[in-house]
Amino acid sequence: MNLNLLNPIVFFDLETTGVNIAKDRIVEISVLKVLPNGKEEQRTIRVNPEMHIPEEASKVHGIYDEDVKDCPTFKLIAKELARYIEGCDLGGYNSNRFDIPLLAEEFLRVGVDFDMSKRKFVDVQTIFHKMEQRTLSAAYRFYCNKNLEDAHTAAADTMATYEVLKAQLDRYGDKLENNIDFLSKFTTQNNLADFAGFISYNDKGEEVFNFGKNKGVSVAKVLKEQQGYYDWIMKSDFPLYTKKVLTKIKLRDSHLLK
C-alpha cells in the first residue's frame, strides 16, 4: 500500500558514536524522501563527528575513525540538510526516542534553529511494538518476507523502515489510517514538551518536570519557587533542546516569576 500523503515525508536513520543524545554525534545519515505523488529520493552522507568513534559503536555500524576523517562535519551539511527536509514530516524506526532528539541536538549545536514543532513524526517501531513486539530485522522478515541485508547501515535500515510501514498499512488496514496525522498520533507514546522526555504535559496541558525531586511538578511553579533550578539545568549535562524548551517557558512566564 502506498502512503496517502499531504506533505512529503522523510524517513531517516542515523549511525552515531553512541546513544547519549547530549554527547554523541552523527557519523552517517541516510534520508529517504517520499513525495505525495509517490516519487522517492534517497541520499546517504558520511559525517566526521569530530570525536573518536568508540569501538563498541563501530562494531555495530562498521564505521571507524579512518572512514570519516575526510568527510564533512555536520556543521558543513546542516543548512543544506535543513533545506532538504523543510516542509516534510519525519519517519523512522525508534526515531521518536533517539534519531529525532539527536538530530535536533546536532542542528542546535551548529546554530541551525530547525523548527521541529511544525511537523509530524511517525515511529514505525511503535506500530510494530504495539502490534507484534519485534526488532527491525524481524519486522522486515515478518511484514515484507525478506531478510534485511546490511543491517545497521543507515541506507539499508532507512529503506527497510519505509517498506515495513507500507506493509503495516496493508496488514492493519482496518486499524491504521493511511494518513500521517493518524500515524503520528498513533506512534507518539508520550505527551512530551521536549524530545528527551525531561519535560512533559500533564492532563491540564501544563508543562511539568518528568524526573527527579520535581517530577510531576509544574515547571512554572518550580521556576518561581526554586530560583536556582533553572541555572542548575542550564549548567548541567542536559540536551540542548531540553534547555531551549525550558528557556522558552521561562521567558513566556517571566511576568509570573517576579
Side-chain angles (χ1 to χ4, degrees), residues 56-95:
E56 55 269 27
S58 294
K59 287 180 179 178
V60 173
H61 49 56
I63 302 172
Y64 293 81
D65 291 338
E66 184 70 17
D67 299 319
V68 295
K69 67 177 185 179
D70 297 322
C71 293
T73 63
F74 189 82
K75 184 175 183 177
L76 291 177
I77 69 168
K79 290 183 179 179
E80 181 182 354
L81 178 61
R83 283 194 296 268
Y84 187 70
I85 63 179
E86 180 63 37
C88 300
D89 296 317
L90 298 175
Y93 196 87
N94 193 35
S95 49

Side-chain angles (χ1 to χ4, degrees), residues 4-17:
N4 181 17
L5 301 175
L6 294 177
N7 302 312
I9 183 169
V10 169
F11 293 91
F12 75 102
D13 185 73
L14 305 178
E15 303 302 339
T16 66
T17 59

Side-chain angles (χ1 to χ4, degrees), residues 88-107:
C88 300
D89 296 317
L90 298 175
Y93 196 87
N94 193 35
S95 49
N96 284 355
R97 291 190 295 176
F98 181 71
D99 299 85
I100 287 172
L102 184 54
L103 182 62
E105 286 294 294
E106 289 280 38
F107 276 130

Side-chain angles (χ1 to χ4, degrees), residues 20-231:
N20 187 313
I21 292 170
K23 293 182 177 180
D24 282 305
R25 302 291 189 269
I26 295 171
V27 298
E28 185 175 78
I29 178 170
S30 185
V31 296
L32 174 66
K33 180 186 281 190
V34 184
L35 304 177
N37 64 6
K39 182 182 177 182
E40 301 169 10
E41 304 171 359
Q42 187 166 28
R43 300 181 182 183
T44 299
I45 305 171
R46 287 273 175 94
V47 180
N48 183 338
E50 301 182 276
M51 64 178 288
H52 170 61
I53 305 174
E55 184 73 15
E56 55 269 27
S58 294
K59 287 180 179 178
V60 173
H61 49 56
I63 302 172
Y64 293 81
D65 291 338
E66 184 70 17
D67 299 319
V68 295
K69 67 177 185 179
D70 297 322
C71 293
T73 63
F74 189 82
K75 184 175 183 177
L76 291 177
I77 69 168
K79 290 183 179 179
E80 181 182 354
L81 178 61
R83 283 194 296 268
Y84 187 70
I85 63 179
E86 180 63 37
C88 300
D89 296 317
L90 298 175
Y93 196 87
N94 193 35
S95 49
N96 284 355
R97 291 190 295 176
F98 181 71
D99 299 85
I100 287 172
L102 184 54
L103 182 62
E105 286 294 294
E106 289 280 38
F107 276 130
L108 287 172
R109 286 184 193 115
V110 299
V112 176
D113 192 8
F114 186 71
D115 190 355
M116 294 283 195
S117 66
K118 296 181 180 179
R119 60 204 70 242
K120 299 180 178 68
F121 308 125
V122 178
D123 192 331
V124 173
Q125 185 193 60
T126 302
I127 296 175
F128 189 38
H129 283 184
K130 284 186 174 183
M131 299 296 187
E132 304 294 344
Q133 303 291 314
R134 295 290 191 277
T135 63
L136 177 57
S137 295
Y140 197 54
R141 228 172 11 249
F142 183 85
Y143 290 110
C144 304
N145 197 27
K146 300 177 184 178
N147 290 321
L148 179 54
E149 305 295 337
D150 298 323
H152 296 298
T153 63
D157 288 357
T158 300
M159 181 58 74
T161 298
Y162 173 49
E163 291 186 33
V164 166
L165 177 57
K166 292 193 294 181
Q168 287 173 329
L169 289 169
D170 285 329
R171 179 177 288 266
Y172 306 119
D174 58 332
K175 298 178 181 178
L176 297 178
E177 295 179 20
N178 187 359
N179 69 76
I180 299 304
D181 185 56
F182 173 87
L183 294 172
S184 177
K185 291 177 181 177
F186 188 84
T187 58
T188 300
Q189 300 186 63
N190 297 300
N191 195 15
L192 301 179
D194 69 334
F195 292 126
F198 290 105
I199 303 173
S200 60
Y201 294 102
N202 61 18
D203 293 339
K204 298 178 181 179
E206 301 167 331
E207 297 97 345
V208 297
F209 284 109
N210 204 28
F211 70 98
K213 67 177 185 179
N214 290 312
K215 185 173 182 178
V217 182
S218 163
V219 172
K221 177 179 173 66
V222 172
L223 294 180
K224 182 177 181 180
E225 298 179 357
Q226 302 176 38
Q227 300 295 325
Y229 202 70
Y230 172 83
D231 290 337

